[in-house]
Amino acid sequence: QLATVPFMLRKAVENYDKGKQYYRELHGLDKDKFTVLLVDGAYGEGKLEKTAEALAKTDMTLNVVAVCGKNEPLYERLSKLETKENITFKAYGFTDKMLELNAAADLFVGKSGASNLAESSYLEVPQIITLYATPIEKWIGEYYIDEVGTAIKLDKIDDIVKKIGEYYSSPEKMQPYIDACK
């Protein structure tokens, strides 16, 4: 007999309760902008770079945070990314600030990782899953989409940016996912 259990959380996640604006200011982000957190795991592979580049050209007024993990070349490239004036863009390498960055975000976009999805759900941040790197990540992602209800899966950069735009212009469309986080 198999049983489904929720993913474990770091106990420290309970301490990130000061509100999105606090954590945005802590990281030099505009406290009032819609904030997108891009994360593709410890090696920053996947769709992170192309998603960041597409968001850098958008007309939306956004904070975009890209966590590159241990991928130094990606971090170097994104640290130099030119954006339009309406975009506040921050690139991070491997960081111990993931809980702060999740707490600052309105939307998580990236790879299906157990900790990232559990922590963003706890912090009431819906997710757009952009890829599954392994069969286990596929199972994790499907769990958050089908069972928990906090995530959707989109593969194409254009679709990802379009959905971010939808949430940006109509934040109420995120409410069912936020409610599922709660």
Side-chain angles (χ1 to χ4, degrees):
Q1 170 100 13
L2 293 175
T4 301
V5 295
F7 287 106
M8 303 289 284
L9 287 166
R10 292 184 272 176
K11 186 83 173 139
V13 75
E14 295 174 353
N15 300 325
Y16 292 85
D17 59 358
K18 293 183 176 95
K20 294 182 186 307
Q21 292 183 332
Y22 172 84
Y23 295 105
R24 288 174 187 166
E25 286 185 304
L26 191 64
H27 288 275
L29 301 167
D30 185 306
K31 66 183 178 114
D32 297 318
K33 285 184 180 178
F34 188 87
T35 302
V36 178
L37 175 61
L38 305 175
V39 181
D40 272 348
Y43 299 100
E45 298 294 332
K47 300 175 192 225
L48 188 148
E49 185 169 20
K50 288 184 177 171
T51 305
E53 290 170 345
L55 290 173
K57 298 173 187 168
T58 186
D59 290 330
M60 292 180 274
T61 302
L62 301 172
N63 289 320
V64 178
V65 178
V67 180
C68 304
K70 296 178 180 180
N71 189 334
E72 286 295 323
L74 176 61
Y75 171 74
E76 292 300 322
R77 287 192 304 273
L78 289 183
S79 292
K80 298 172 188 162
L81 182 66
E82 292 185 25
T83 65
K84 294 173 85 174
E85 279 185 20
N86 49 303
I87 304 294
T88 302
F89 186 87
K90 298 278 182 177
Y92 287 80
F94 191 78
T95 180
D96 63 355
K97 305 294 184 208
M98 284 306 302
L99 288 172
E100 288 177 5
L101 297 173
N102 251 317
D106 291 300
L107 184 63
F108 173 97
V109 178
K111 187 170 86 70
S112 175
S115 294
N116 281 330
L117 298 181
E119 291 165 358
S120 60
S121 291
Y122 182 88
L123 295 165
E124 300 180 13
V125 179
Q127 307 100 36
I128 296 175
I129 299 169
T130 60
L131 68 105
Y132 305 132
T134 66
I136 291 172
E137 286 187 1
K138 184 175 190 293
W139 175 79
I140 292 166
E142 289 173 351
Y143 174 77
Y144 278 89
I145 293 166
D146 299 330
E147 302 296 324
V148 181
T150 61
I152 62 171
K153 171 85 165 61
L154 295 173
D155 298 309
K156 296 182 175 94
I157 303 299
D158 289 344
D159 293 341
I160 295 163
V161 173
K162 182 178 177 184
K163 183 57 77 173
I164 292 168
E166 211 176 289
Y167 291 157
Y168 167 80
S169 60
S170 301
E172 69 277 5
K173 290 185 177 183
M174 291 175 40
Q175 197 58 51
Y177 303 100
I178 294 169
D179 290 344
C181 289
K182 294 177 184 180

